Amino acid sequence: MQKLEALVREAHESAAPATPAARGHSRVIPIARLSDNESEVARQMQICNACRYCEGFCAVFPAMTRRLEFGKADVHYLANLCHNCGACYHSCQYAPPHEFAVNVPKAMAKLRLETYSEYAWPSAAGALYKRNGLTVALALAASLAVFLMLSIAANGTLSGGPLGGNFYAIFPHNQLAAMFGAVFGFAMLALGIGVVRFWRDVSAGTATAPALAEAAKNVLTLTYLDGGHGEGCNESDDAFTLARRRFHHFTFYGFMLCFAATSVATLYHYVLGLEAPYPLFSLPVLLGTAGGIGLLIGPAGLLWLNLRRDPQHGDVAQRPMDRGFIALLLLISISGLALLAWRDTSAMAVLLALHLGVVMALFATLPYGKFAHGIYRSASLLKAAIEKRQAKGLNLGSD
């Protein structure tokens, strides 16, 4: 243990910022100046690389052992590979109040926000990540909903009689498609450009079919939210729980079912010539209902966990952004299910405006909110799968 302490202390000291005098005599030319958060992750990874107690916990630590130094691209890659499960924090002998103050989940969470901001497109929009909180999300959704209600009122259909669930009697199909297609298209373009920039900086190697299959499995099953031992994450204390993994599954697959419902409805409309409204037991309605229920259970559970979570498990400053995204998902599910239940009543127009306002707010904030973490994490998981299949030059850790 004394030898390990000495090794870790050496790594800790070597990762500390150099003094001006030391920098003056250094023969190393710095390639990229690290920010405070980047330097902190590099410091902690040097310590963890000397200790390696947590090597089997998640994908971060095997990836860490393949490196002797941690540059800018390395720390951003590792930060987005981290699933913030909290297992390493609770197991670490160098966690606060130890002088090394190792808290990997918090350091990684702070750096992830820098990743989103740095790689954002347009570049100036990176600052939106720090402002995209609960208040902004709700205010944007409310503003869009009011705007849509005023538009409906101007057409005289806001308080009209039942329309048989025909949404297009209020908003023409082509108008809705153009309006939401433009917002969603921009969101996908912005996220796509951002992750391509990220991939260009951190990538090495070719994405083979086995690597793609492994990454897809880890994304779709949330492999690394099991704590490395299958019992789950730490949330409010030392107890393990699979709750966050399960609520993430409800949220992700609920979102995908809603997307599938929209895709099937588009196929019905343009290919089969079947126009909405569709019967309650039609495929688009069944998919949308199942997705709405998933988006009700998942985000509600994630919000409950977020409110209870130990503040040492992440960056508390990002919780407003997390809760804003969760709130929009919850409002989409609630307003969507309510719209389905009362689509044959006179309340349909108001409910439609509310639902469309929340959906548009979600689309508008997708590139600059919590949704981005899933995109960057998926890219990092693919890089990890590629890296595992490359020739091992260091032989420093096991996979």
Side-chain angles (χ1 to χ4, degrees), residues 218-239:
N218 289 334
V219 169
L220 296 175
T221 63
L222 294 173
T223 301
Y224 296 110
L225 282 183
D226 67 357
H229 40 61
E231 297 181 40
C233 299
N234 302 102
E235 294 296 334
S236 58
D237 51 36
D238 289 340

Side-chain angles (χ1 to χ4, degrees), residues 76-387:
H76 280 277
Y77 159 55
L78 294 174
N80 284 278
L81 198 56
C82 170
H83 283 56
N84 202 28
C85 77
C88 60
Y89 171 74
H90 283 270
S91 300
C92 183
Q93 59 186 321
Y94 303 117
H98 192 280
E99 61 178 312
F100 292 169
V102 173
N103 186 338
V104 172
K106 177 177 282 190
M108 297 294 199
K110 289 183 176 181
L111 184 53
R112 280 195 295 275
L113 185 62
E114 280 194 19
T115 300
Y116 310 152
S117 300
E118 183 170 332
Y119 291 100
W121 183 86
S123 299
L128 295 175
Y129 279 103
K130 297 180 181 179
R131 305 190 187 110
N132 188 4
L134 178 61
T135 302
V136 171
L138 295 179
L140 180 60
S143 299
L144 290 169
V146 170
F147 172 77
L148 292 173
M149 285 184 194
L150 292 175
S151 300
I152 297 172
N155 294 331
T157 54
L158 183 63
S159 57
L163 298 172
N166 184 10
F167 304 152
Y168 302 144
I170 299 175
F171 290 108
H173 176 272
N174 291 339
Q175 180 183 350
L176 284 178
M179 185 167 54
F180 284 92
V183 178
F184 185 72
F186 173 79
M188 293 300 100
L189 177 65
L191 283 171
I193 292 175
V195 79
V196 166
R197 290 174 172 176
F198 172 77
W199 184 258
R200 187 181 298 125
D201 283 349
V202 306
S203 177
T206 303
T208 61
L212 286 167
E214 179 182 331
K217 174 181 175 293
N218 289 334
V219 169
L220 296 175
T221 63
L222 294 173
T223 301
Y224 296 110
L225 282 183
D226 67 357
H229 40 61
E231 297 181 40
C233 299
N234 302 102
E235 294 296 334
S236 58
D237 51 36
D238 289 340
F240 298 119
T241 172
L242 288 167
R244 192 152 68 102
R245 187 182 190 185
R246 289 167 178 159
F247 288 136
H248 267 91
H249 273 137
F250 273 110
T251 302
F252 176 75
Y253 288 107
F255 185 88
M256 294 307 295
L257 284 169
C258 288
F259 182 77
T262 303
S263 301
V264 172
T266 302
L267 179 68
Y268 276 20
H269 185 90
Y270 289 106
V271 178
L272 302 180
L274 301 175
E275 296 187 357
Y278 300 112
L280 289 177
F281 294 101
S282 63
L283 187 56
V285 175
L286 290 175
L287 289 171
T289 302
I293 293 172
L295 283 181
L296 192 61
I297 297 173
L302 291 176
L303 180 60
W304 174 67
L305 292 176
N306 187 278
L307 293 170
R308 298 174 63 250
R309 198 155 202 228
D310 189 319
Q312 294 300 317
H313 286 181
D315 183 13
V316 176
Q318 294 182 43
R319 288 190 175 179
M321 180 176 70
D322 297 347
R323 292 169 186 174
F325 180 60
I326 292 172
L328 288 178
L329 292 176
L330 270 174
L331 288 173
I332 284 175
S333 63
I334 293 170
S335 61
L337 292 172
L339 180 59
L340 177 63
W342 287 288
R343 66 178 185 171
D344 293 327
T345 70
S346 58
M348 190 264 280
V350 173
L351 291 173
L352 179 62
L354 287 172
H355 182 64
L356 294 181
V358 177
V359 173
M360 189 175 289
L362 176 70
F363 286 178
T365 56
L366 277 185
Y368 313 111
K370 189 64 175 179
F371 184 84
H373 89 287
I375 307 299
Y376 287 97
R377 184 159 294 157
S378 298
S380 297
L381 285 168
L382 178 56
K383 162 136 178 99
I386 294 171
E387 228 176 32

